[in-house]
Amino acid sequence: MTEYWDLLDQNRNPLGTLHRRGDPLPAGARHLCVEVITLCRGRMLTTRRHPQKHNGGFWEVTTGSALAGATSRAAAVRELYDETGLRAKEQDPPLAARLLTPRIFSDTYLLILPERPAVTLQSTETVDYAWLTPAEMLERCRRGLVIGHLAERFACYCSRLNEFIPEEGTP
């Protein structure tokens, strides 16, 4: 199935143009990507990309592109379900960070769960998952096991994630 994205200008305004995934982006145009960092009891949900996908075999948090017509938050909820089988409501994950690069707007959401849920991998998207501490994720970044653009940003996220992780011995 072919995916289409809405193109945005440098101020995040829609250009009124659909873009087919895989085609080169026009100069100055961007598209919207989302990430969902799912935390439960001091650990974050990470998944390993299917070997035949772009960046195949690398680890990541839930990540993907917003489809044409979708809001950022709706895209985050869809990607979470597509990659992990976890259901969230659009109002559930709060926006934690926003990043602008030459090609994308990236919105990162933080979903904190009280209990570790069952994860169902979508066989065409993900092939494994792990619940890692931020320190374990940073180690995977250092070892080159995490998608490059996520590894670059993760050090910034790590200090903020520690705010949401209870100290040893607290529930």
Side-chain angles (χ1 to χ4, degrees), residues 80-151:
L80 182 67
Y81 179 73
D82 286 353
E83 293 183 9
T84 68
L86 300 182
R87 292 198 184 271
K89 296 180 180 130
E90 272 192 58
Q91 67 271 20
D92 287 346
L95 184 63
R98 207 166 237 176
L99 177 71
L100 168 66
T101 76
R103 295 184 49 229
I104 66 169
F105 287 98
S106 181
D107 291 348
T108 301
Y109 293 88
L110 182 62
L111 182 62
I112 301 173
L113 302 174
E115 298 294 325
R116 197 173 287 179
V119 174
T120 304
L121 300 176
Q122 182 184 24
S123 63
T124 59
E125 292 279 334
T126 50
V127 295
D128 198 4
Y129 73 95
W131 290 92
L132 303 176
T133 65
E136 290 168 334
M137 183 65 158
L138 279 174
E139 179 56 28
R140 285 191 180 186
C141 291
R142 282 189 211 98
R143 292 176 42 211
L145 302 174
V146 175
I147 294 174
H149 62 84
L150 177 59

Side-chain angles (χ1 to χ4, degrees), residues 36-73:
V36 181
I37 298 173
T38 303
L39 289 176
C40 182
R41 297 185 177 207
R43 295 183 174 268
M44 73 180 62
L45 177 60
T46 62
T47 54
R48 191 170 190 183
R49 293 179 63 86
H50 190 283
Q52 294 180 349
K53 291 190 65 72
H54 179 67
N55 290 316
F58 285 94
W59 289 87
E60 65 181 350
V61 294
T62 302
T63 224
S65 296
L67 300 178
T71 65
S72 170
R73 202 174 293 275

